[in-house]
Amino acid sequence: MLGCHSADSPVMLPCIKSFPEMKLFPVLVMLTACAARPQDLSGKMFTFPLESNTAHVRLNASRLDFSSLTLCHRSFTDLKRDHVLFSLATPVHSNDFLIFWDYTNKEIEPHIKNRKAEFGGRDYKPNMWHSICTTWDSESGLVQIWFNGLPSIRKFVSTGTNIVGPVIIILGQEQDSHGGGFDLKQSFVGMMSDVHLWDHILSSCEIQNYVDELNFTPGNVLNWSALEFEIIDRVLIENKLMTCH
């Protein structure tokens, strides 16, 4: 049985698949309870409490065509293995826009249209919040990351064509197929918050404002303060973990 989050309640609700022998009316009721609605998650975080090849959050975006992107998010984990940070797939490319931590080589690896860039030298310490922003432009083919406010060099990945949907965006699992193909040993365990996605390249000042949690224009594709999502299996919504001084 899968669990979905309802906008009317913080509790996990069961999702039931439809089978021929089941009566139609109860099934329709359950599907309605699992429908995603925009929610303000300001001050909240998704908690992924265990290693799993099922638990994830699916983020709903209506935009289907991207010539450039900026993604920002914050994550907190103690994993000592490879793990996914963000996965956007289309029917053509399972890694159309993927952010991945390579534990062996100690690299953050953005994948664009199944091609990757490798960024090493990042102090990705366990048990603390990290802010990571990634930009990509199809015209130049350049990708860049900003790790806790510090920019990387720009690297060439893929140029000439847009990312074209339908897109499936998932937190907590890495898609090896469109909406599936999850691998237990690539799953994310920890906390994630403040996920924003824009259909353009943010300026360095806008990225710094995000990192410093100052006023910034929220994502126009994914907006943490008006997020449409569905929770599948064991993922919790909690108040964001803050460090007290």
PDB file of all heavy atoms in Angstrom, residues 42-56:
ATOM      1  N   SER A  42       6.614  26.970   3.522  1.00  0.00           N
ATOM      2  CA  SER A  42       7.587  27.852   4.174  1.00  0.00           C
ATOM      3  C   SER A  42       7.833  27.386   5.606  1.00  0.00           C
ATOM      4  O   SER A  42       6.888  27.128   6.363  1.00  0.00           O
ATOM      5  CB  SER A  42       7.073  29.298   4.194  1.00  0.00           C
ATOM      6  OG  SER A  42       6.811  29.762   2.890  1.00  0.00           O
ATOM      7  N   GLY A  43       9.095  27.246   5.986  1.00  0.00           N
ATOM      8  CA  GLY A  43       9.445  26.790   7.324  1.00  0.00           C
ATOM      9  C   GLY A  43       9.291  25.297   7.521  1.00  0.00           C
ATOM     10  O   GLY A  43       9.438  24.798   8.636  1.00  0.00           O
ATOM     11  N   LYS A  44       9.004  24.566   6.433  1.00  0.00           N
ATOM     12  CA  LYS A  44       8.812  23.121   6.507  1.00  0.00           C
ATOM     13  C   LYS A  44       9.925  22.391   5.737  1.00  0.00           C
ATOM     14  O   LYS A  44      10.691  22.994   5.000  1.00  0.00           O
ATOM     15  CB  LYS A  44       7.458  22.724   5.919  1.00  0.00           C
ATOM     16  CG  LYS A  44       6.261  23.401   6.557  1.00  0.00           C
ATOM     17  CD  LYS A  44       6.012  22.892   7.954  1.00  0.00           C
ATOM     18  CE  LYS A  44       4.743  23.496   8.544  1.00  0.00           C
ATOM     19  NZ  LYS A  44       4.493  23.019   9.930  1.00  0.00           N
ATOM     20  N   MET A  45       9.967  21.090   5.916  1.00  0.00           N
ATOM     21  CA  MET A  45      10.920  20.257   5.179  1.00  0.00           C
ATOM     22  C   MET A  45      10.298  18.883   4.933  1.00  0.00           C
ATOM     23  O   MET A  45       9.408  18.443   5.672  1.00  0.00           O
ATOM     24  CB  MET A  45      12.223  20.100   5.961  1.00  0.00           C
ATOM     25  CG  MET A  45      12.083  19.379   7.281  1.00  0.00           C
ATOM     26  SD  MET A  45      13.635  19.336   8.219  1.00  0.00           S
ATOM     27  CE  MET A  45      13.118  18.334   9.640  1.00  0.00           C
ATOM     28  N   PHE A  46      10.732  18.227   3.871  1.00  0.00           N
ATOM     29  CA  PHE A  46      10.418  16.820   3.661  1.00  0.00           C
ATOM     30  C   PHE A  46      11.472  15.996   4.384  1.00  0.00           C
ATOM     31  O   PHE A  46      12.674  16.229   4.216  1.00  0.00           O
ATOM     32  CB  PHE A  46      10.439  16.464   2.176  1.00  0.00           C
ATOM     33  CG  PHE A  46       9.306  17.034   1.366  1.00  0.00           C
ATOM     34  CD1 PHE A  46       9.549  17.696   0.173  1.00  0.00           C
ATOM     35  CD2 PHE A  46       7.992  16.890   1.784  1.00  0.00           C
ATOM     36  CE1 PHE A  46       8.523  18.214  -0.584  1.00  0.00           C
ATOM     37  CE2 PHE A  46       6.944  17.413   1.035  1.00  0.00           C
ATOM     38  CZ  PHE A  46       7.210  18.070  -0.141  1.00  0.00           C
ATOM     39  N   THR A  47      11.033  15.034   5.181  1.00  0.00           N
ATOM     40  CA  THR A  47      11.953  14.117   5.843  1.00  0.00           C
ATOM     41  C   THR A  47      11.825  12.740   5.207  1.00  0.00           C
ATOM     42  O   THR A  47      10.723  12.167   5.162  1.00  0.00           O
ATOM     43  CB  THR A  47      11.654  14.019   7.354  1.00  0.00           C
ATOM     44  OG1 THR A  47      11.863  15.305   7.947  1.00  0.00           O
ATOM     45  CG2 THR A  47      12.561  13.008   8.033  1.00  0.00           C
ATOM     46  N   PHE A  48      12.949  12.233   4.700  1.00  0.00           N
ATOM     47  CA  PHE A  48      13.035  10.890   4.134  1.00  0.00           C
ATOM     48  C   PHE A  48      13.759  10.031   5.174  1.00  0.00           C
ATOM     49  O   PHE A  48      14.989  10.052   5.248  1.00  0.00           O
ATOM     50  CB  PHE A  48      13.814  10.917   2.814  1.00  0.00           C
ATOM     51  CG  PHE A  48      13.213  11.810   1.761  1.00  0.00           C
ATOM     52  CD1 PHE A  48      13.467  13.182   1.755  1.00  0.00           C
ATOM     53  CD2 PHE A  48      12.401  11.292   0.761  1.00  0.00           C
ATOM     54  CE1 PHE A  48      12.924  14.019   0.788  1.00  0.00           C
ATOM     55  CE2 PHE A  48      11.849  12.116  -0.215  1.00  0.00           C
ATOM     56  CZ  PHE A  48      12.112  13.484  -0.202  1.00  0.00           C
ATOM     57  N   PRO A  49      13.031   9.269   6.001  1.00  0.00           N
ATOM     58  CA  PRO A  49      13.638   8.690   7.192  1.00  0.00           C
ATOM     59  C   PRO A  49      14.301   7.332   7.009  1.00  0.00           C
ATOM     60  O   PRO A  49      14.948   6.854   7.947  1.00  0.00           O
ATOM     61  CB  PRO A  49      12.447   8.570   8.154  1.00  0.00           C
ATOM     62  CG  PRO A  49      11.277   8.340   7.255  1.00  0.00           C
ATOM     63  CD  PRO A  49      11.567   9.098   5.989  1.00  0.00           C
ATOM     64  N   LEU A  50      14.143   6.701   5.837  1.00  0.00           N
ATOM     65  CA  LEU A  50      14.756   5.381   5.687  1.00  0.00           C
ATOM     66  C   LEU A  50      15.129   5.116   4.242  1.00  0.00           C
ATOM     67  O   LEU A  50      14.571   5.694   3.318  1.00  0.00           O
ATOM     68  CB  LEU A  50      13.822   4.286   6.195  1.00  0.00           C
ATOM     69  CG  LEU A  50      12.670   3.805   5.296  1.00  0.00           C
ATOM     70  CD1 LEU A  50      12.075   2.532   5.873  1.00  0.00           C
ATOM     71  CD2 LEU A  50      11.606   4.865   5.139  1.00  0.00           C
ATOM     72  N   GLU A  51      16.122   4.230   4.078  1.00  0.00           N
ATOM     73  CA  GLU A  51      16.554   3.807   2.746  1.00  0.00           C
ATOM     74  C   GLU A  51      15.434   2.996   2.105  1.00  0.00           C
ATOM     75  O   GLU A  51      14.908   2.066   2.706  1.00  0.00           O
ATOM     76  CB  GLU A  51      17.830   2.974   2.867  1.00  0.00           C
ATOM     77  CG  GLU A  51      18.532   2.711   1.570  1.00  0.00           C
ATOM     78  CD  GLU A  51      19.859   2.001   1.787  1.00  0.00           C
ATOM     79  OE1 GLU A  51      19.839   0.771   2.014  1.00  0.00           O
ATOM     80  OE2 GLU A  51      20.907   2.672   1.749  1.00  0.00           O
ATOM     81  N   SER A  52      15.085   3.353   0.883  1.00  0.00           N
ATOM     82  CA  SER A  52      13.911   2.749   0.252  1.00  0.00           C
ATOM     83  C   SER A  52      14.023   2.882  -1.261  1.00  0.00           C
ATOM     84  O   SER A  52      14.679   3.789  -1.765  1.00  0.00           O
ATOM     85  CB  SER A  52      12.647   3.459   0.749  1.00  0.00           C
ATOM     86  OG  SER A  52      11.546   3.221  -0.087  1.00  0.00           O
ATOM     87  N   ASN A  53      13.378   1.980  -1.988  1.00  0.00           N
ATOM     88  CA  ASN A  53      13.284   2.156  -3.435  1.00  0.00           C
ATOM     89  C   ASN A  53      11.850   2.490  -3.850  1.00  0.00           C
ATOM     90  O   ASN A  53      11.468   2.315  -5.002  1.00  0.00           O
ATOM     91  CB  ASN A  53      13.787   0.911  -4.179  1.00  0.00           C
ATOM     92  CG  ASN A  53      12.932  -0.319  -3.906  1.00  0.00           C
ATOM     93  OD1 ASN A  53      12.046  -0.294  -3.053  1.00  0.00           O
ATOM     94  ND2 ASN A  53      13.203  -1.399  -4.623  1.00  0.00           N
ATOM     95  N   THR A  54      11.080   2.998  -2.873  1.00  0.00           N
ATOM     96  CA  THR A  54       9.698   3.396  -3.168  1.00  0.00           C
ATOM     97  C   THR A  54       9.378   4.809  -2.678  1.00  0.00           C
ATOM     98  O   THR A  54       8.661   5.548  -3.358  1.00  0.00           O
ATOM     99  CB  THR A  54       8.697   2.416  -2.522  1.00  0.00           C
ATOM    100  OG1 THR A  54       8.961   2.339  -1.110  1.00  0.00           O
ATOM    101  CG2 THR A  54       8.818   1.020  -3.131  1.00  0.00           C
ATOM    102  N   ALA A  55       9.875   5.191  -1.504  1.00  0.00           N
ATOM    103  CA  ALA A  55       9.481   6.469  -0.901  1.00  0.00           C
ATOM    104  C   ALA A  55      10.009   7.642  -1.721  1.00  0.00           C
ATOM    105  O   ALA A  55      11.206   7.726  -1.996  1.00  0.00           O
ATOM    106  CB  ALA A  55      10.001   6.551   0.535  1.00  0.00           C
ATOM    107  N   HIS A  56       9.110   8.551  -2.099  1.00  0.00           N
ATOM    108  CA  HIS A  56       9.529   9.734  -2.845  1.00  0.00           C
ATOM    109  C   HIS A  56       8.425  10.783  -2.821  1.00  0.00           C
ATOM    110  O   HIS A  56       7.303  10.516  -2.389  1.00  0.00           O
ATOM    111  CB  HIS A  56       9.903   9.390  -4.293  1.00  0.00           C
ATOM    112  CG  HIS A  56       8.762   8.868  -5.122  1.00  0.00           C
ATOM    113  ND1 HIS A  56       8.323   7.556  -5.060  1.00  0.00           N
ATOM    114  CD2 HIS A  56       7.975   9.476  -6.055  1.00  0.00           C
ATOM    115  CE1 HIS A  56       7.320   7.379  -5.912  1.00  0.00           C
ATOM    116  NE2 HIS A  56       7.088   8.533  -6.521  1.00  0.00           N
TER     117      HIS A  56
END
